[in-house]
Amino acid sequence: MPSKTTILAFDTSAAHCAAALLRGTEILASRAEAMQRGQAERLMPLLQEILSDAALAWNDLDAVGVGTGPGNFTGIRISVSAARGLALGLNVPAVGVTGFEALADLAPPACLPAINGPRDHVYVHPENTEPCLANRDKANAFGSLFFCSDPELHVQAIARIAANRWSDVTAPPAPFYIRPADAAPSSHIPPVLLDE
């Protein structure tokens, strides 16, 4: 990795909007804002603020990094589509980083990265098995779990991982879903269409 590689990373896979700017090995700026909704409206202004804080412009970027989940379906789609759009517009690679990869960068040895899921469940990826969504008791049986409650640290890890991968990217990032969407079908009765 060249010492001055510049990566803008962001993540909206949970109830936050987070971004970090990495140049070489130094985090120049980072910020995370807690929010249940509104990531789509806040993400691009936040990214501009991060660049401005470091006195850099969009064309200074070598790549963008994005958290691909698991997590909130809508939040993941917001980040991944923003990363793909920025990559096309700036003609730079977009690097997808899963939450498990980012947490592994932060976790102490012998700890299993874990991400809070819905309804007191946990996303885990035990060694040599498929990632899954498990209740807390089952997840704890896999070993010592490591959670990161600081989205700013999480997005900084995404930036570091993206910096190590950006020159080898061959495909655009995609959402990392472990379970299907739980959206219920519409409860409204469709209107009756009358022929004239």
Side-chain angles (χ1 to χ4, degrees), residues 37-60:
R37 292 188 174 149
Q39 290 96 331
E41 293 80 13
R42 182 66 185 122
L43 180 60
M44 295 311 287
L46 178 64
L47 298 180
Q48 181 61 62
E49 291 165 17
I50 291 287
L51 286 168
S52 297
D53 287 351
L56 293 177
W58 293 100
N59 62 358
D60 292 317

Side-chain angles (χ1 to χ4, degrees), residues 73 123 177-183:
F73 286 93
Y123 293 104
Y177 297 139
I178 292 177
R179 63 185 182 87
D182 57 1

Side-chain angles (χ1 to χ4, degrees), residues 155-169:
V155 77
Q156 290 174 9
I158 292 170
R160 287 190 297 273
I161 293 167
N164 288 320
R165 292 187 188 162
W166 74 276
S167 60
D168 297 323
V169 170

Side-chain angles (χ1 to χ4, degrees), residues 90-110:
L90 299 171
N91 196 29
V92 298
V95 183
V97 178
T98 71
F100 297 127
E101 293 167 327
L103 289 175
D105 184 70
L106 300 169

Side-chain angles (χ1 to χ4, degrees), residues 44-129:
M44 295 311 287
L46 178 64
L47 298 180
Q48 181 61 62
E49 291 165 17
I50 291 287
L51 286 168
S52 297
D53 287 351
L56 293 177
W58 293 100
N59 62 358
D60 292 317
L61 299 177
D62 293 300
V64 294
V66 62
T68 60
N72 176 283
F73 286 93
T74 302
I76 294 167
R77 287 192 299 266
I78 290 166
S79 278
V80 170
S81 60
R84 291 174 77 147
L86 285 170
L88 284 171
L90 299 171
N91 196 29
V92 298
V95 183
V97 178
T98 71
F100 297 127
E101 293 167 327
L103 289 175
D105 184 70
L106 300 169
C111 286
L112 180 65
I115 299 167
N116 286 316
R119 296 178 285 284
D120 203 37
H121 280 61
V122 178
Y123 293 104
V124 290
H125 190 179
E127 194 172 337
N128 300 319
T129 66

Side-chain angles (χ1 to χ4, degrees), residues 138-150:
K138 181 179 178 185
N140 284 323
F142 291 123
S144 181
L145 302 180
F146 174 78
F147 294 90
C148 178
S149 59
D150 186 343

Side-chain angles (χ1 to χ4, degrees), residues 4-8 21-24 28 56 60-64:
K4 293 298 182 183
T5 299
T6 305
I7 307 290
L8 180 62
L21 183 64
L22 176 82
R23 178 166 257 187
L28 299 180
L56 293 177
D60 292 317
L61 299 177
D62 293 300
V64 294

